[in-house]
């Protein structure tokens, strides 16, 4: 059973740049908006710290924010929730695989992109493993 972090916030309507900033930050963390109401991440020391920093930022913006630690009891199955996280990174990994299939792909850029996606790959995507293996082959580290 996975423990989850639930994040809910409210910011003043003006300026809208604050809401956009927070939304982008949540997307960069790989958080999923559950039922158009609460952002969710698996509970790890790293995600808890990232959410705690975001709580502090929102409070500095004069917003209201709440962060909970929770277990799923009823409703959407945990497997479905995990699958949503996987789908999110799988689509990015697939685009990266296409990039690696080109003639002379930019391996430095691809490696950097892989590492960025990997920070949001909370449930170890199989496609992510394929990307890693493909990168290592292209770099000549494995055959």
């Amino acid at each position: 059973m996975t423990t989850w972090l639930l994040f809910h916030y409210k910011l003043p309507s003006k300026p809208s740049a604050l809401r956009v900033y927070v939304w982008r930050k949540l997307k960069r963390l790989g958080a999923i908006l559950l039922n158009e109401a609460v952002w969710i991440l698996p509970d790890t020391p790293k995600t808890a710290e990232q959410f705690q920093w975001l709580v502090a930022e929102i409070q500095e913006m004069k917003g209201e924010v709440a962060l909970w630690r929770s277990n799923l009891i009823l409703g959407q199955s945990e497997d479905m929730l995990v699958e949503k996280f996987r789908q999110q990174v799988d689509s990015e990994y697939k685009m990266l695989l296409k990039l690696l299939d080109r003639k002379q792909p930019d391996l430095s850029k691809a490696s950097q992109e892989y590492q960025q996606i990997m920070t949001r790959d909370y449930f170890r995507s199989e496609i992510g493993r394929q990307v890693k293996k493909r990168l290592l082959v292209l770099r000549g580290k494995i055959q």
Side-chain angles (χ1 to χ4, degrees):
M1 176 182 281
T2 303
T3 304
W4 302 94
L5 295 172
L6 307 177
F7 185 89
H8 185 262
Y9 70 97
K10 183 177 179 184
L11 285 168
S13 58
K14 302 275 179 176
S16 62
L18 298 178
R19 290 191 317 278
V20 172
Y21 170 81
V22 172
W23 180 85
R24 286 184 178 158
K25 199 149 194 175
L26 289 164
K27 295 302 267 181
R28 262 196 318 268
L29 293 174
I32 289 180
L33 182 59
L34 191 62
N35 297 330
E36 305 283 328
V38 177
W39 291 88
I40 185 168
L41 279 175
D43 184 14
T44 68
K46 186 177 178 183
T47 57
E49 181 181 348
Q50 290 169 323
F51 264 167
Q52 287 168 2
W53 280 108
L54 193 52
V55 165
E57 286 185 85
I58 290 172
Q59 289 171 335
E60 288 174 8
M61 296 173 192
K62 309 290 184 218
E64 297 174 23
V65 61
L67 175 62
W68 296 275
R69 182 168 280 133
S70 176
N71 294 325
L72 189 61
I73 297 173
L74 288 174
Q76 197 170 46
S77 81
E78 192 163 281
D79 290 341
M80 287 178 62
L81 202 48
V82 169
E83 187 57 31
K84 283 185 179 183
F85 279 93
R86 282 199 181 115
Q87 287 173 353
Q88 187 171 253
V89 291
D90 281 351
S91 63
E92 295 178 67
Y93 281 137
K94 285 177 184 173
M95 288 175 38
L96 193 51
L97 273 176
K98 284 183 184 174
L99 181 98
L100 293 173
D101 287 338
R102 292 184 187 162
K103 283 186 177 179
Q104 298 180 339
D106 183 344
L107 294 180
S108 177
K109 182 180 174 187
S111 294
Q112 187 177 22
E113 201 168 315
Y114 169 73
Q115 289 176 4
Q116 289 174 350
I117 298 168
M118 210 174 65
T119 62
R120 298 183 300 275
D121 186 2
Y122 300 108
F123 299 100
R124 305 287 181 223
S125 163
E126 178 55 37
I127 299 173
R129 289 187 190 122
Q130 293 171 20
V131 171
K132 181 180 180 180
K133 185 176 179 181
R134 182 88 173 116
L135 275 168
L136 290 173
V137 166
L138 289 170
R139 288 187 173 269
K141 295 189 176 181
I142 63 171
Q143 296 180 7

